[in-house]
Amino acid sequence: DQQVKQNSPSLSVQEGRISILNCDYTNSMFDYFLWYKKYPAEGPTFLISISSIKDKNEDGRFTVFLNKSAKHLSLHIVPSQPGDSAVYFCAARADSGSNYKLTFGKGTLLTVNP
Amino acid sequence: DVKVTQSSRYLVKRTGEKVFLECVQDMDHENMFWYRQDPGLGLRLIYFSYDVKMKEKGDIPEGYSVSREKKERFSLILESASTNQTSMYLCATSPRDGYTFGSGTRLTVV
């Protein structure tokens, strides 16, 4: 049973436009959400996170939105750059008693075309 | 910055071999994790450890074991490597805000 779902395996956008990556979750105990970016042959790197007490968190070109009632979050990248081309993983955590264990989605491959 | 070091970037092993993947972190974190990444399957948790000599199974522990004798080192062991264990293996450590990953080990079992 997949608790974190990224339903789009891939996304292609033009440089300078907005990239929107989506993520849905089913476990209502999740209360902290993260996005990771992964280039080939490298480990994932942390991008941005959001706590369930917020509905938006912004860091430069990256904004994460959380809709708790819909159990949905999205990552917006504006403007998109060719260097943003990577696999993006959504992850979620239930803070109580979890030892900080993250549950990941399957990832979305973003391609930003020059 | 937290550093998580995986001893090998690329490994090629034969079917039936016992394989050790090593991971070392330099930040005194209690929690360490082993994941594998496969195309279309994302990151799947194999084992994790929240203290020395403590371990818990993740979602796909079959065919694997782990060892944590010292806080900074978490080893993944493939008891008898099989071709379906060909994958990218990722070690991570966890401070409060999320994981820091190592660079990964690309293991090919032939």
Side-chain angles (χ1 to χ4, degrees):
Chain A
D1 179 32
Q2 208 181 341
Q3 298 186 65
V4 178
K5 300 178 184 179
Q6 294 177 255
N7 291 319
S8 297
S10 63
L11 175 68
S12 183
V13 299
Q14 285 300 119
E15 181 179 4
R17 305 294 290 269
I18 184 171
S19 296
I20 300 176
L21 295 94
N22 293 303
C23 179
D24 298 292
Y25 62 96
T26 58
N27 189 339
S28 57
M29 298 301 291
F30 288 148
D31 52 11
Y32 193 72
F33 304 90
L34 307 93
W35 285 92
Y36 284 81
K37 175 180 177 180
K38 187 181 184 300
Y39 294 117
E42 293 184 14
T45 55
F46 170 75
L47 197 55
I48 193 168
S49 63
I50 188 166
S51 165
S52 59
I53 61 173
K54 294 185 174 182
D55 55 18
K56 177 183 174 181
N57 189 26
E58 192 171 353
D59 183 2
R61 297 185 297 113
F62 303 92
T63 303
V64 56
F65 295 91
L66 175 63
N67 182 334
K68 288 190 292 294
S69 60
K71 294 190 175 67
H72 177 82
L73 61 154
S74 61
L75 174 69
H76 292 211
I77 306 174
V78 182
S80 301
Q81 300 173 353
D84 295 330
S85 297
V87 177
Y88 288 79
F89 291 101
C90 172
R93 185 179 81 199
D95 266 354
S96 57
S98 70
N99 299 111
Y100 305 142
K101 186 175 66 154
L102 292 177
T103 301
F104 288 86
K106 292 185 176 182
T108 297
L109 173 63
L110 173 66
T111 303
V112 180
N113 300 303
Chain B
D1 280 353
V2 177
K3 192 167 184 182
V4 179
T5 303
Q6 293 184 232
S7 54
S8 304
R9 291 299 299 272
Y10 300 94
L11 275 179
V12 180
K13 297 292 182 180
R14 295 194 178 278
T15 301
E17 276 194 78
K18 190 168 186 176
V19 181
F20 293 85
L21 302 183
E22 305 288 343
C23 176
V24 177
Q25 54 111 348
D26 65 357
M27 282 300 289
D28 203 37
H29 293 146
E30 281 82 16
N31 302 313
M32 296 187 75
F33 306 83
W34 275 105
Y35 284 82
R36 62 179 282 180
Q37 184 206 359
D38 300 289
L41 297 177
L43 297 170
R44 294 181 293 167
L45 181 63
I46 305 171
Y47 265 98
F48 67 102
S49 169
Y50 50 91
D51 203 349
V52 175
K53 296 190 186 295
M54 305 300 285
K55 60 186 180 185
E56 283 197 27
K57 293 179 180 179
D59 300 318
I60 51 163
E62 296 77 20
Y64 303 94
S65 63
V66 290
S67 172
R68 190 146 181 221
E69 297 296 319
K70 294 183 178 181
K71 195 172 188 180
E72 68 270 19
R73 186 180 297 269
F74 190 35
S75 303
L76 180 69
I77 304 157
L78 285 67
E79 298 292 343
S80 177
S82 64
T83 54
N84 64 12
Q85 291 178 309
T86 291
S87 186
M88 167 72 93
Y89 289 88
L90 293 160
C91 174
T93 182
S94 178
R96 178 66 176 81
D97 293 335
Y99 292 177
T100 297
F101 282 91
S103 298
T105 297
R106 169 66 65 184
L107 172 67
T108 302
V109 182
V110 297

